[in-house]
Amino acid sequence: LPRLRGPMELDGVPLAPAKVTEQGANCLSIVIHEGKNRQVRRMCAAVGLEVRRLVRVSEGELSLGSLPPGRWRRLTPEETAYIRSLI
């Protein structure tokens, strides 16, 4: 875990430090800030870990909540305003 939390590089580019916590046996919670291509999988591979399952629970301040895989929902006006503020 210290190697995942510490300074890392992918393709020679430094990454912002990730927040990594254990969620139980063989389960980690990883919060990243950049979202480079396959970043979590590549970070884990760099420290000798295999990713068997990867679940996105939020994107920025938008939480997926109990939305089942493959489903969608309309954004609330607040969520739409948040996304527009990023542009």
Side-chain angles (χ1 to χ4, degrees), residues 12-81:
V13 178
L15 299 174
K19 180 181 176 188
V20 183
T21 54
E22 287 188 81
Q23 298 292 310
N26 301 317
C27 185
L28 299 174
S29 170
I30 301 176
V31 178
I32 58 174
H33 304 284
E34 296 170 276
K36 303 228 181 257
N37 185 34
R38 299 175 56 83
Q39 180 176 342
V40 171
R41 291 184 189 277
R42 292 168 61 202
M43 287 171 57
C44 289
V47 298
L49 298 175
E50 175 188 1
V51 177
R52 293 186 181 169
R53 184 168 179 241
L54 186 61
V55 178
R56 182 186 308 260
V57 295
S58 67
E59 178 74 37
E61 293 184 16
L62 299 178
S63 174
L64 297 177
S66 61
L67 191 64
R71 302 294 299 192
W72 63 274
R73 65 171 176 80
R74 294 196 182 276
L75 297 177
T76 66
E78 293 81 15
E79 291 169 332
T80 304

